[in-house]
Amino acid sequence: MPPDTGSPRPAISQNPDIRYLGKLLGDVIRAYGGDKLFRRTEYIRAASVDRHRGVAGSDAIDPGLDALTLDETLAFVRGFMLFSMLANLAEDRQDVGAEEGGFADALAALEADGISRADVVEMLNRALIVPVLTAHPTEVRRKSMIDHKNRIADLMRMRDAGRARTPEGDDVEASIMRQIALLWQTRTLRRDKLVVADEIENALSYLREIFLPMLPGLYNRWEEALGDRPASFLRLGSWIGGDRDGNPFVNAETLRHALARSAETAISFYLNALHSLGAELSISTELSDVDPAVQALADASGDEAPSRADEPYRRAIIGIYARLAATHEELVGKAPARPSHVPGKAYADPTEFCDDLRTLARALTAKGGETLASSGALGRLIRAVRTFGFHLATLDMRQNSAVHERVVGELLAKAGVTEDYATLGEDERVALLREELASPRPLHTAWADYSDETASELAIVEAAAAAHRRYGPDCITNYVVSMAESVSDLLEVHILLKEAGLYRPGDPPEAAIMAVPLFETIGDLDNAPGVMRAWFGLPEIAALATARGHQEVMIGYSDSNKDGGYLTSTWVLNRASEALAPVFADAGTTMQLFHGHGGSVGRGGGSAFDAIRGQPAGTVNGRIRITEQGEVIAAKYGTRDAARANLDTMAAATVLATMEPEGVSPQDRARFAEAMDMLSADAFAAYRGLVYETDGFTTFFRQATPIAEIAGLKIGSRPASRKKSDAIEDLRAIPWVFSWSQARVMLPGWYGVGQALHGFDDKGLLREMALQWPFLKNALGNMEMVLAKSDIGIAERYAGLVEDEDLRTAIFGRIRDGWWTTHDALLNATRQTRLLEKTPRLDTSIRLRLPYIEPLNLLQIELMKRHRAGEDDPRIAEGIQLSINAIATALRNSG
């Protein structure tokens, strides 16, 4: 039943930055779009706001939309999209520094529990925290749009500081207006589909402009809080150029290109830092004694300029620069932008380079204490080298297990080992693969002809081996196996690595790259502990794990959600993590979980702080990797301030999840888990019953959502489906979630949960769990956000696109009833009278956006009707894609 809407809702207290930027946007629309467009846009905006405030009826918005021409529609959609982008910017500025749980706060909380900073440092020296950038296509905005937005953010910081002019002398207020005008006149949509090289460059822009200059300074803050200097426990990872699961455009060449461009980016940054450092370290032997080690570097530099004869630090830096420039030429294949004027020998590895820098730092420490050495440019450069090396970000390889099975089968057949590998049972496969791994004999031969697929897979492991020789072993450390279901799926990767010398037989064997299983479906997650126990049961694997000290397991949020629904996916992931812990303990190996999630709740999104802290006890261990993709990268790492705040939060949450005493007693945990098993089973049955067991559901989904139109967006290099099939099983999770978000149904984030909560008899226990148990509190909190962003009235209009009236009525009726059941059951469990009652900031943020999203949805529906009816005006297709862009921008975490 719909809730009683008689109770007043609090007025929206708008962020002053939103009012300021919104007014400037209105001025730009009037100046560049004309007074008529401005007045129509303002009329629609005001009518929609009035409707959401209850001042006007539900149809008050339509006349304004109907009056728009196609050209005006395109301009109107761009205007609303830009408002959402500017509102996002304003909220991000407000959120920086306000995010719960900074690193210093975490240390204080642990200290209150009797855990010292020295204990934390000891843990961090073994820790590894890695945000992994992926190219999953959920970022609908062009990089040019994001660049203008970030420039506005910079200018707003100047305005906050009371500066009237920029460093270049321009008026700050006028510059903000200029950037908004440029946004208005910048093409929103990509004309060409992204290729892998574009995705690599997009990621490098964040690494170059945000992470490289920002992260060393953040380490300084952590060092000050700790009173010590831990190892570089937070590093960067990437999938871009190495993730070929379902992407035929990723191959050996993209891997080589990604690594070469990363090396070029890192070394160029170091060269520029050295150049600035040389200008700074003007210490003269006439005024200070010189350390013999520094003098040795100066004498070996090859710099004989008389003007620097008394400046050993500058001469030493010239020599270091020359060696690094030679390293650039050797690794990148070309001279740096600023060549050295003296010759130098390339560094063998980053450690050798860092040793020279540390020689300077030790000498400065002896002369001037920490003031000269650890802080400032030299200290930041040393930390950067220790964190980024010459590879910048560790590149993961990823491929589907089915591909490995085919490739290994062909290799075995061509080598005369077996003609029918695919028909062997699991035990037979394991025995055969172990026998091959124990033999130094390669399977590949130059005399045989191989399929294109096998040739491509062999080429990429050869490229990985060459990369290890060129950039060092840290450039590629993990090989993720998608759809891993068995031990043989992991052994097959070792067979391929062995062909390139990256796995070497012996007692013990050596593996330069770790095979990482990705457990994605509900069934695979349930089976994960058994697979890993069998994996560690192999003596050669146990030896590898012992030597390495840890083993990674990746758990997939997206496909498990599509497979079993939100609540079941969330719970099974939690259960699997917890069940894996004793398996690793028995093997004497540290577990490292890799959480593969996206930005939307349907793909594991939500508060990173709450998600990490909510992990089961004993499953974090100071080591965690998390995928970051699409719009999340721009939101979390688009500016240095935002990146600093989000990385600080990630580090804090990891420290707390590792060291903080568990807040729920074992007895309560057991009671709650038993209840969750029942809830999960009921939610799973409800979800599967609708999505996979209802005749015509696929047709409903494809007609009631813009899935076909989303597939036409040029936002990524990967196809929307893994196979040429209309089946939901074969559809990638991103377009599945994205489509429901656009239609304001948000089905992957809630369906089935309401039926489970409603049918659970012990409502008192349910409320206790929702209040006291971080797992359920976080899960329900994320779902509550999804429910608040959905609109069942708008969703019904999308359902009107379904051609079969009986099908439309039957399926949408179940969706509508399920939504209200979930809505009411959530409020009952959390003891609220309305959604987001206990999270006013989020409530304000979402309610601010709703009046701007609804007109976009209504326009999108009308344009889709015309497009599907066969109207071929190109402005209709452009309008649909603009509306997708605008709605995604307003919803923020829609993919």
Side-chain angles (χ1 to χ4, degrees), residues 729-788:
E729 292 89 338
D730 296 327
L731 184 69
R732 289 193 176 278
I734 289 172
W736 165 254
V737 173
F738 205 165
S739 301
W740 288 116
S741 298
Q742 287 283 312
R744 302 295 297 285
V745 184
M746 312 284 191
L747 183 139
W750 59 266
Y751 193 85
V753 184
Q755 292 92 322
L757 296 177
H758 178 73
F760 191 74
D761 292 333
D762 193 342
K763 296 297 192 290
L765 174 59
L766 201 56
R767 289 171 180 162
E768 183 184 356
M769 293 161 61
L771 178 67
Q772 297 181 13
W773 192 19
F775 165 78
L776 188 60
K777 185 178 181 180
N778 187 42
L780 294 182
N782 287 334
M783 187 181 76
E784 187 177 0
M785 177 184 67
V786 169
L787 291 174

Side-chain angles (χ1 to χ4, degrees), residues 411-420 432-433 435-436 441 443:
L411 287 172
L412 292 168
K414 297 284 187 181
V417 177
T418 179
E419 291 290 337
D420 55 357
L432 175 59
L433 295 173
E435 184 178 345
E436 286 300 323
R441 171 182 61 86
L443 292 171

Side-chain angles (χ1 to χ4, degrees), residues 61-80:
I61 189 173
D62 289 345
L65 293 175
D66 291 343
L68 295 174
T69 67
L70 269 177
D71 286 334
E72 288 172 337
T73 294
L74 299 182
F76 168 81
V77 172
R78 283 195 300 115
F80 267 40

